[in-house]
Amino acid sequence: MAIPKTTTGKGAGRDPAGARKPWEAAKALDAGAKGDPRVFALAHAILAPNPHNRQPWVAELSTPGEIKLYFDTARRLPETDPYDRQLTIGLGCFVELLSMAAAETGHRAEVSLFPEGEPQPMLDGRPVAHIRLVADSGVARDPLFAQVFARHTNREAYDTARPVSAQALDTIAAAARTARIAHATGGKEVATLRALSWEAMEIELRTYRTMKESVDLMRIGKAEIEANPDGISLGGPLNEGLDLLGLMDRQAMLDPNTMVFTEGMKAQKVQFDTAMGFLWLATPGNSRADQIAAGRDYLRMHLAVTEAGLALQPFSQALQEYDEMAGKYVEMRTALEIGDNETLQMLVRLGYGPGIRPAPRWPLETRIRSA
């Protein structure tokens, strides 16, 4: 199987353009071309959203027409995602995007989840999914696939002069297949969720070990981003200039008594203050299969948000299962009226945001175990 190589190039100026090459490589592929359909499917699947951009997927291609999907255990988030729930949702996003891409080539993706059993309490080396691509001239192409290259997680400030329509969110919610999706656009509800979400964020920022997990994954400037196109990318001349001035010092970011920490808090609060609506996604259970299903629906929801011209950013802090967050976890479930037998899998803010560039990605060839 021939896997197209991704070359980084030099990029322009301080822009980490090389880290975005996988998006260009996928866009250049022809769904109707002869060759291994797994290449087309995987080249698109690696563009899926995932927690902290960890890209925790590894594909094994030893059997023609089949893909075994594994979790890369080196890409855990042990402090904020101690049971790998969020990372499993990311793998669900991967599976859904792979299935949608396979349909573009006239193939049906037959997905068997956790063929060697569901790993608990954390993911392990067993396969997450066994996927067969079966030629099927009748397979339906999903219209949401048209949004793949426009779908990005937008962490910029949203336009507070533009309200979000509840009717638009009803349409977006209809994109889900199994999860329950609800939303809030009213001023009082949005204000409550802004406040709760920010309180949860403050807990994460002020808890040394959870904050350090994020700081350790920061890639500051072009060189770091292109060398490690994952984690939290802080690119552009402004961030590089601040870094040179010592205002991006990682140790200072961890100390609440420093100006660097205080300014970082102010910068992040803008995201919460400009949330114009919220969507959340709940499943009836919390098995690994439920988490994969949540990811599949989240990917579809995000594509539908993009189709509607809206921007989206996950606010996952209050959903995380570590001790310091336990109280806020209960408060958020109560505020969102999550049932006793339901699991709150995703919460996102919505609004109208500025255009942004794609997130960095590891090239496809680095995500293949064998070929």
Side-chain angles (χ1 to χ4, degrees):
M1 184 188 75
I3 298 171
K5 298 294 182 181
T6 301
T7 55
T8 59
K10 292 184 178 180
R14 304 311 303 161
D15 174 34
R20 297 194 297 271
K21 288 290 184 179
W23 292 84
E24 298 172 22
K27 191 179 291 187
L29 293 176
D30 180 359
K34 292 182 179 179
D36 193 329
R38 294 178 298 177
V39 173
F40 187 91
L42 287 167
H44 289 80
I46 63 171
L47 308 180
N50 60 100
H52 269 7
N53 200 23
R54 294 302 283 144
Q55 302 165 58
W57 35 72
V58 178
E60 180 190 305
L61 306 175
S62 55
T63 303
E66 299 183 1
I67 300 167
K68 278 190 177 179
L69 175 63
Y70 291 89
F71 170 66
D72 185 342
T73 57
R75 295 180 176 273
R76 284 201 161 97
L77 297 166
E79 302 301 340
T80 56
D81 189 22
Y83 306 114
D84 300 329
R85 180 188 62 82
Q86 296 176 90
L87 288 163
T88 305
I89 290 172
L91 290 164
C93 295
F94 180 97
V95 170
E96 181 65 16
L97 192 45
L98 185 149
S99 299
M100 293 171 72
E104 295 291 308
T105 68
H107 289 79
R108 183 178 70 257
E110 295 184 347
V111 181
S112 298
L113 294 176
F114 303 102
E116 297 177 17
E118 285 197 1
Q120 294 289 355
M122 297 186 298
L123 296 177
D124 55 28
R126 286 175 285 177
V128 172
H130 179 206
I131 305 167
R132 292 181 62 236
L133 297 190
V134 181
D136 182 354
S137 59
V139 68
R141 296 170 61 182
D142 197 313
L144 288 174
F145 188 78
Q147 304 301 323
V148 167
F149 297 109
R151 182 216 63 78
H152 308 304
T153 299
N154 194 323
R155 297 176 175 83
E156 301 298 321
Y158 296 167
D159 188 347
T160 55
R162 296 186 68 184
V164 173
S165 160
Q167 184 178 4
L169 299 192
D170 284 337
T171 301
I172 289 164
R177 292 196 174 114
T178 60
R180 180 175 73 84
I181 295 181
H183 57 74
T185 56
K188 185 176 180 180
E189 288 179 294
V190 168
T192 296
L193 294 177
R194 282 179 179 178
L196 270 176
S197 297
W198 175 245
E199 289 163 11
M201 186 66 186
E202 279 200 283
I203 291 171
E204 182 171 315
L205 293 174
R206 293 182 182 277
T207 301
Y208 182 86
R209 60 191 177 82
T210 56
M211 179 59 170
K212 188 173 187 300
E213 184 170 81
S214 292
V215 170
D216 288 347
L217 290 172
M218 289 179 181
R219 320 300 187 205
I220 302 173
K222 177 180 179 178
E224 287 189 12
I225 294 170
E226 292 193 336
N228 290 287
D230 57 17
I232 302 168
S233 299
L234 301 173
L238 175 59
N239 285 319
E240 292 205 9
L242 292 173
D243 190 32
L244 288 172
L245 292 171
L247 297 178
M248 299 289 280
D249 179 78
R250 287 173 169 83
Q251 195 56 46
M253 290 179 186
L254 295 169
D255 185 352
N257 297 313
T258 64
M259 182 184 71
V260 172
F261 184 94
T262 301
E263 291 303 312
M265 289 265 290
K266 289 179 182 177
Q268 290 209 287
K269 194 168 188 300
V270 171
Q271 299 170 349
F272 295 79
D273 291 342
T274 62
M276 297 303 291
F278 287 86
L279 273 171
W280 55 95
L281 183 155
T283 56
N286 195 32
S287 67
R288 292 297 180 198
D290 289 324
Q291 293 163 9
I292 292 289
R296 297 189 71 157
D297 277 343
Y298 175 73
L299 185 279
R300 300 182 60 77
M301 183 182 83
H302 199 166
L303 292 173
V305 165
T306 305
E307 184 177 55
L310 288 160
L312 170 158
Q313 178 189 3
F315 275 1
S316 299
Q317 291 74 27
L319 285 59
Q320 294 171 160
E321 303 108 319
Y322 58 93
D323 289 346
E324 292 87 343
M325 196 60 72
K328 205 57 59 181
Y329 181 93
V330 172
E331 286 185 55
M332 185 61 79
R333 285 178 58 90
T334 300
L336 300 180
E337 300 182 350
I338 303 300
D340 291 342
N341 297 320
E342 288 185 305
T343 299
L344 177 59
Q345 300 286 8
M346 294 295 298
L347 170 69
V348 305
R349 70 154 178 153
L350 296 158
Y352 291 92
I356 58 170
R357 288 172 166 169
R361 284 292 185 275
W362 285 101
L364 175 58
E365 60 268 23
T366 70
R367 302 289 85 209
I368 305 295
R369 177 174 290 182
S370 61

